[in-house]
């Protein structure tokens, strides 16, 4: 079977650190035929560096190309217009998180995907992490999940991006940055209405970073029954929310900006009456660093044990790309369809509303 011809829109940090290097090793699945970026020099640099035939600056031209069967969108948000254009052109689409900001955008993208009858996959890479898959299997066997805790302690990304020779060029067309900012502001306004700066910053954090924790919670436990409360402090750079579930369990999920602290920490803990599942993730701007999962159990004799299963070494970024190919070729059903991302967007809006209105928000 011939590789799927892929176009990549956006040649910034996540493309340079993860997607383009990973695609270079997936030649059996994909042939990157085109790269696209608003920066002409960056598009040309990416094409030359990763041996791609064509470089463009307009995604509309890319999605019309006969040399593109699928599109990976990892450019600056919002991505809605590019996603719809690609879907309307009959291309399979992979959308890096966040898929979008508002429910209106989510419905527009999902509607375009349904009309086109193609694969539309959200870039929810942690679902494909071997550690998460192991944890999910363990949680599925738990009959009495009582408490879940998420801690996401986040340094400034620049601390980790210094490890890579990222390319940037000062050649964006005049007005591009302002136009993109205005489009992002309009999308957030559509999502949460007029809001204080702290709420807007928290909303962006939830959408762009804590989204990983929220979709993993949905995969494990389903949607919460309510957002019990949300606190935002440190000028919107710290968030803690309490979620309730229909079985009576509670989740306390926190994200805190620690800008000068090198040590990135992101953990997921699930507690039942006789076992605990603990997952620890590295930053997404890392290569070759594995997540871990630790299981604490008590048997019928009251004996306590701890085990740390050996995990596959393959990167979750690689695994999600392999899955995208398997979906396109009809071998697998999509595990992270963009249509289901609507639930995560709704939850982000509800968490933000809980802070803005100072009250619980029922599902």
């Amino acid at each position: 079977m011939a590789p799927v011809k892929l176009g990549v829109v956006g040649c910034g940090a996540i493309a340079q650190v993860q997607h383009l290097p990973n695609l270079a090793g997936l030649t059996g699945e994909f042939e990157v035929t085109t790269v696209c970026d608003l920066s002409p020099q960056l598009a040309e640099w990416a094409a030359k560096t990763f041996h791609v035939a064509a470089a463009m600056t307009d995604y509309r031209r890319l999605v019309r190309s006969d040399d593109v069967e699928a599109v990976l969108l990892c450019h600056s948000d919002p991505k809605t217009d590019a996603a719809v254009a690609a879907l309307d052109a009959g291309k399979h689409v992979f959308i890096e998180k966040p898929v979008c900001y508002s429910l209106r955008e989510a419905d527009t993208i999902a509607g375009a995907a349904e009309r086109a009858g193609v694969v539309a996959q959200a870039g929810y890479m942690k679902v494909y992490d071997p550690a998460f898959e192991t944890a999910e299997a363990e949680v599925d066997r738990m009959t009495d999940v009582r408490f879940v805790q998420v801690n996401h302690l986040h340094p400034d990304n620049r601390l980790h991006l210094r490890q890579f020779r990222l390319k940037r060029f000062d050649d964006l067309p005049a007005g591009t940055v302002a136009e993109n900012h205005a489009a992002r502001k309009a999308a957030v306004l559509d999502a949460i209405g007029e809001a204080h700066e702290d709420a807007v910053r928290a909303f962006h954090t939830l959408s762009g970073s804590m989204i990983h924790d929220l979709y993993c919670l949905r995969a494990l436990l389903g949607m919460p029954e309510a957002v019990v409360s949300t606190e935002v402090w440190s000028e919107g750079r710290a968030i803690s929310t309490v979620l309730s579930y229909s079985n009576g369990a509670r989740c306390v999920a926190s994200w805190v900006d620690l800008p000068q602290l090198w040590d990135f920490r992101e953990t997921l803990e699930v507690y039942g009456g006789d076992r605990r599942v603990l997952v620890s993730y590295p930053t997404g701007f890392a290569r070759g660093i594995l997540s871990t999962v630790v299981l604490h159990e008590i048997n019928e004799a009251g004996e306590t044990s701890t085990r740390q299963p050996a995990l596959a070494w393959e990167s979750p970024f690689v695994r999600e790309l392999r899955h995208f190919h398997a979906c396109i070729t009809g071998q697998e059903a999509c595990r992270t369809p963009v249509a289901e991302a609507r639930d995560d967007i709704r939850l982000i809006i509800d968490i933000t509303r809980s802070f803005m209105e100072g009250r619980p928000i029922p599902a």
Side-chain angles (χ1 to χ4, degrees):
M1 182 179 295
V4 172
K5 295 179 180 179
L6 183 70
V8 177
V9 179
C11 300
I14 197 63
Q16 293 180 43
V17 173
Q18 296 291 357
H19 290 307
L20 288 171
N22 291 335
L23 286 164
L26 292 173
T27 54
E29 290 86 358
F30 295 101
E31 176 190 359
V32 181
T33 59
T34 313
V35 290
C36 177
D37 197 278
L38 286 173
S39 164
Q41 291 184 77
L42 184 55
E44 291 290 346
W45 172 87
K48 180 179 179 180
T49 301
F50 294 99
H51 309 291
V52 178
M56 301 177 180
T57 59
D58 188 345
Y59 71 79
R60 298 170 188 84
R61 181 182 167 203
L62 180 146
V63 302
R64 292 194 300 266
S65 171
D66 292 334
D67 285 331
V68 172
E69 299 170 308
V71 179
L72 191 162
L73 300 177
C74 50
H75 59 295
S76 297
D77 305 303
K79 304 183 185 79
T80 302
D81 289 346
V84 171
L87 293 165
D88 284 348
K91 313 298 184 183
H92 304 285
V93 175
F94 179 115
I95 311 178
E96 256 299 348
K97 59 83 185 171
V99 170
C100 59
Y101 291 130
S102 72
L103 295 177
R104 187 196 311 272
E105 291 175 289
D107 291 340
T108 298
I109 295 171
E114 185 175 5
R115 289 193 305 273
V118 296
V119 177
Q121 179 175 322
Y124 284 178
M125 60 90 174
K126 281 189 167 56
V127 168
Y128 303 93
D129 193 307
F132 177 80
E133 290 178 343
T134 299
E136 185 176 29
E138 293 292 331
V139 172
D140 283 346
R141 288 194 284 270
M142 295 171 68
T143 58
D144 63 341
V145 173
R146 302 181 180 187
F147 177 62
V148 180
Q149 183 164 299
V150 170
N151 282 318
H152 196 145
L153 308 179
H154 204 295
D156 191 314
N157 282 330
R158 289 173 292 186
L159 291 175
H160 299 122
L161 289 175
R162 289 174 189 165
Q163 312 309 305
F164 304 96
R165 295 181 178 179
L166 296 183
K167 285 291 184 179
R168 298 183 180 90
F169 297 91
D170 188 19
D171 63 343
L172 290 175
T176 298
V177 174
E179 289 173 9
N180 192 64
H181 179 76
R184 188 183 301 116
K185 185 175 180 179
V188 174
L189 180 64
D190 187 30
I192 62 173
E194 292 285 353
H196 187 271
E197 184 178 344
D198 287 2
V200 172
R201 186 176 287 119
F203 178 85
H204 278 294
T205 295
L206 289 161
S207 300
S209 182
M210 204 172 182
I211 180 64
H212 289 300
D213 307 298
L214 298 178
Y215 67 66
C216 284
L217 288 172
R218 175 169 58 82
L220 289 177
L221 305 173
M223 288 296 289
E225 200 171 52
V227 179
V228 177
S229 64
T230 302
E231 291 186 71
V232 174
W233 69 101
S234 189
E235 298 181 326
R237 293 182 173 86
I239 305 162
S240 189
T241 188
V242 179
L243 309 175
S244 66
Y245 291 85
S246 59
N247 70 339
R250 293 289 188 275
C251 172
V252 178
S254 300
W255 189 102
V256 181
D257 177 36
L258 302 172
Q260 301 306 317
L261 186 65
W262 165 261
D263 194 16
F264 176 95
R265 294 291 178 94
E266 185 179 3
T267 57
L268 166 67
E269 301 175 52
V270 184
Y271 294 85
D274 61 356
R275 72 173 58 192
R276 177 179 73 171
V277 180
L278 170 61
V279 184
S280 298
Y281 301 105
T283 171
F285 292 117
R287 291 204 297 256
I289 302 176
L290 298 180
S291 301
T292 61
V293 58
V294 177
L295 309 173
H296 297 167
E297 302 166 304
I298 300 175
N299 63 22
E300 293 180 354
E303 299 167 333
T304 299
S305 64
T306 299
R307 57 190 174 95
Q308 184 171 339
L311 302 171
W313 290 0
E314 192 171 45
S315 157
F317 285 96
V318 171
R319 289 164 71 96
E320 68 176 350
L321 286 171
R322 287 190 189 276
H323 179 69
F324 185 45
H325 177 268
C327 295
I328 292 170
T329 55
Q331 301 171 66
E332 298 177 10
C334 187
R335 292 171 56 190
T336 54
V338 295
E340 292 183 4
R342 187 186 197 280
D343 288 337
D344 307 314
I345 294 159
R346 187 185 73 192
L347 180 57
I348 287 168
I349 292 170
D350 286 348
I351 290 172
T352 308
R353 284 181 55 210
S354 176
F355 165 64
M356 292 168 62
E357 300 174 20
R359 67 179 181 89
I361 303 294

